[in-house]
Amino acid sequence: RNDKHRAQWVSTLERYALPHLRAIPIHEITVNDVLAVLEPIWSSKTETASRLRGRIEGVLAWSTVSGFRTGDNPARWSGNLEAILPKPSKLKRVTHHPALSLTAAPNWFNDLQKRGGTAARALEFLILTAARSGEVRYAEWKEIDLKNKIWTIPARRMKAGKEHRVPIADTALLLLKEMPVSSNYVFPNKTGVALSDM
């Protein structure tokens, strides 16, 4: 969907898959060939390996429907590689950040409102609208209808690819009215571009 994702898609294939698969005609690639690519990184770089597997599967699926190969997809997980490789969830334990307790939330939010800076206002707006970080960081003034209290996020910035309309509560509306308009972005950094995801 974006330049960064496209670059990652290609770079993982170039870095991990092509050294093993480049010399093999696409119609001859087998499960063992796919395993030769995945096994060296399956335990150490589980997330990358899992994404790589999906990308190899996609290339091979395209090759099949385009008439370059026939038969089963050797990179398919379900009923195929899942019988050979451990599930990614078993290899990498997810450590969640601790959650803020419900009783501590009001004090925390009051402290946030006392902080200065655009990042604090963006986080406050995120909480008040239940939006995603990227949606808030890239919010533009042209998306905000202060009169009707609606924020319309364009489809291109939504994960589902569909326009999303967010009602703006009075507290969020007050926050927006107090934001200086110094950029197209509602929450710009000092140079006028969108806040970093850091």
Side-chain angles (χ1 to χ4, degrees):
R1 291 188 180 183
N2 59 53
D3 292 339
K4 182 179 177 183
H5 183 251
R6 278 189 287 278
Q8 288 173 339
W9 217 93
V10 172
S11 71
T12 54
L13 289 171
E14 287 177 341
R15 181 172 182 184
Y16 299 107
L18 289 182
H20 294 281
L21 303 177
R22 179 179 275 128
I24 305 169
I26 201 152
H27 65 280
E28 293 179 12
I29 294 175
T30 67
V31 170
N32 288 334
D33 298 319
V34 175
L35 285 172
V37 172
L38 298 177
E39 283 181 324
I41 62 170
W42 194 255
S43 294
S44 60
K45 298 178 181 177
T46 307
E47 183 68 25
T48 299
S50 183
R51 289 180 181 180
L52 175 63
R53 186 212 56 78
R55 291 167 186 170
I56 295 170
E57 181 181 17
V59 170
L60 294 175
W62 177 89
S63 299
T64 300
V65 299
S66 299
F68 296 108
R69 62 175 288 120
T70 58
D72 200 19
N73 190 324
R76 185 173 41 84
W77 178 254
S78 183
N80 189 39
L81 292 177
E82 71 176 348
I84 302 167
L85 296 170
K87 288 184 179 179
S89 60
K90 300 286 184 189
L91 293 173
K92 187 176 180 183
R93 288 276 173 226
V94 175
T95 306
H96 296 286
H97 295 288
L100 183 66
S101 74
L102 196 53
T103 56
N107 288 336
W108 179 86
F109 193 75
N110 285 336
D111 289 342
L112 174 65
Q113 289 180 309
K114 292 174 187 170
R115 291 182 182 211
T118 304
R121 297 298 68 78
L123 179 57
E124 187 180 343
F125 188 73
L126 178 144
I127 293 163
L128 293 168
T129 58
R132 293 176 178 270
S133 169
E135 295 161 6
V136 171
R137 290 183 300 106
Y138 289 97
E140 295 184 34
W141 284 110
K142 66 184 179 184
E143 300 167 3
I144 308 286
D145 180 349
L146 294 173
K147 181 181 174 192
N148 294 309
K149 299 196 255 186
I150 295 288
W151 171 29
T152 305
I153 307 170
R156 65 181 163 73
R157 288 200 299 106
M158 291 300 300
K159 188 174 183 178
K162 294 181 181 179
E163 180 181 279
H164 184 61
R165 294 167 52 90
V166 180
I168 302 173
D170 290 340
T171 309
L173 187 66
L174 182 60
L175 180 152
L176 290 172
K177 287 181 177 179
E178 292 177 355
M179 289 297 298
V181 180
S182 59
S183 165
N184 290 334
Y185 294 107
V186 178
F187 303 103
N189 69 12
K190 291 178 183 176
T191 62
V193 298
L195 286 172
S196 160
D197 61 356
M198 296 296 117

